[in-house]
Amino acid sequence: MLAILIGLVIGVGLPMQTSINSRLRAALGSPFLASLVSFGIGTIFLAVMTLMDHRGLLIGTSLISTQPFWLWLGGLLGVIYLTGNIILFPKLGSVQTVIFPVLGQILAGLIIDDFGLFYSPVSQLTVVRGLGALLVLVGVTVTVAGNSWLERVTGQAGLETVEEETPKQAHLMFWRLFGVLAGVLSATQTAVNGHLGQVLGSKIQAAYVSFLVGTLTLIVIVLVVRPPLKFQRSNGKPPWWMWIGGLLGALFVLGNVYLVPVIGTGFAVIIVLIGLMIGSLLIDQFGWLSSEKNPVTLLQIGGLLIMIVGVIVIRIL
């Protein structure tokens, strides 16, 4: 029960981190700089926690050489997933940018559990578990896209709504597959970081290593891309909270490191997804973090309930 609660909490924090990082991106004028600042702050936070846990910040070369190379790539996978979402949004629109990575996360989570990949606890893929995963995906789709589709069917959608969801570029199948791949990498990161925590004997140190690798990767990207720094003070004084996205990201990675050995990769991914949907609806309902208020509808609540039923099917039946 504690693991499920932790999964829901870090899932709720994920859309908040996205909103915070979006505000930081608007202030800095570059998504890469915003990601680097976010990862850097998260790395510093986890470094302090690692030292408080009486752990070193450096990993011995002998340990690195005796472990599989993929054990140290969790941070890299996280950066690819984050950058992938930035790339996908203008290609596919907001709805598909959520749905296709979620599809990849669910599929990869089930496969990782079924074969015990990356030393994840084995949980055999059955027809019932597959049905539960399908219900979760349907719930995500209804929650994210149900209102827009219903409005279009009933002829109540305005031109802006239709245009926002209409991709402006060709090769849609390629970008959709890329979205699924991004989701696969996200689930893989969850499994890899979970095993890293067991190898290091410290979940905090594992989260730190993952964030450090991500930060180093982003430093290389920034040096190659060389995005201009344009600090923009739009809408008055920048809010203080735009600097804490890295802290939420650090807690998210730390939570996943804890979850995987306890409940497995697939179930961890699905629980976090439900938390993510809850967090997104709360932000829309109350307009948190300077977001525009969009009252939650019964259709969205219904989609969330479908996801919960899917979790019950996977976990209990």
Side-chain angles (χ1 to χ4, degrees):
M1 189 63 186
L2 176 61
I4 293 177
L5 181 60
I6 290 175
L8 291 175
V9 170
I10 64 174
V12 168
L14 194 57
M16 295 182 182
Q17 182 200 16
T18 301
S19 298
I20 290 169
N21 286 343
S22 296
R23 183 64 181 83
L24 182 62
R25 178 179 60 188
L28 298 180
S30 166
F32 297 109
L33 288 175
S35 296
L36 177 58
V37 170
S38 180
F39 264 79
I41 292 174
T43 300
I44 294 173
F45 170 71
L46 288 170
V48 173
M49 290 188 64
T50 300
L51 292 174
M52 293 176 63
D53 192 39
H54 305 290
R55 296 279 176 166
L57 297 182
L58 299 178
I59 306 298
T61 55
S62 59
L63 181 61
I64 295 177
S65 61
T66 56
Q67 295 297 323
F69 75 95
W70 50 258
L71 187 64
W72 315 103
L73 300 182
L76 174 62
L77 298 178
V79 170
I80 295 174
Y81 174 69
L82 177 66
T83 307
N85 279 336
I86 295 174
I87 295 173
L88 285 175
F89 188 82
K91 308 292 185 182
L92 296 178
S94 58
V95 172
Q96 295 187 58
T97 299
V98 172
I99 292 174
F100 284 101
V102 165
L103 174 60
Q105 288 176 312
I106 293 176
L107 290 176
L110 292 175
I111 292 173
I112 289 172
D113 281 357
D114 188 51
F115 291 97
L117 301 178
F118 309 109
Y119 298 97
S120 181
V122 176
S123 183
Q124 294 294 329
L125 177 60
T126 63
V127 174
V128 174
R129 282 176 58 85
L131 177 60
L134 180 61
L135 285 174
V136 172
L137 181 60
V138 170
V140 171
T141 304
V142 171
T143 304
V144 174
N147 288 336
S148 298
W149 290 346
L150 182 61
E151 289 175 353
R152 293 175 68 174
V153 169
T154 59
Q156 297 177 357
L159 182 59
E160 293 182 0
T161 302
V162 176
E163 288 183 347
E164 180 186 3
E165 297 179 1
T166 302
K168 298 180 179 179
Q169 300 189 17
H171 310 298
L172 294 184
M173 186 55 65
F174 169 80
W175 293 115
R176 288 166 179 163
L177 290 175
F178 180 77
V180 173
L181 176 62
V184 169
L185 295 180
S186 175
T188 302
Q189 179 197 20
T190 299
V192 168
N193 286 343
H195 184 57
L196 179 60
Q198 292 182 303
V199 170
L200 296 179
S202 169
K203 297 174 177 57
I204 296 175
Q205 190 180 30
Y208 160 72
V209 170
S210 180
F211 250 72
L212 178 62
V213 171
T215 299
L216 295 176
T217 302
L218 282 165
I219 289 175
V220 173
I221 293 175
V222 168
L223 290 176
V224 172
V225 177
R226 295 184 179 275
L229 176 60
K230 299 179 181 179
F231 194 79
Q232 304 171 8
R233 294 180 174 272
S234 58
N235 300 325
K237 184 179 180 181
W240 62 268
W241 46 256
M242 76 178 189
W243 304 104
I244 66 172
L247 301 182
L248 294 178
L251 294 175
F252 173 78
V253 172
L254 181 59
N256 274 315
V257 172
Y258 168 80
L259 289 176
V260 170
V262 177
I263 62 176
T265 301
F267 195 56
V269 165
I270 289 174
I271 290 297
V272 170
L273 282 175
I274 292 181
L276 186 153
M277 291 295 116
I278 293 174
S280 299
L281 294 180
L282 289 173
I283 291 174
D284 283 349
Q285 177 68 28
F286 298 105
W288 290 346
L289 303 172
S290 301
S291 299
E292 183 180 351
K293 285 187 177 182
N294 292 303
V296 175
T297 65
L298 290 177
L299 187 60
Q300 289 176 312
I301 295 176
L304 191 60
L305 291 176
I306 293 174
M307 294 178 65
I308 294 174
V309 170
V311 169
I312 294 174
V313 170
I314 293 174
R315 192 63 177 178
I316 299 179
L317 300 182

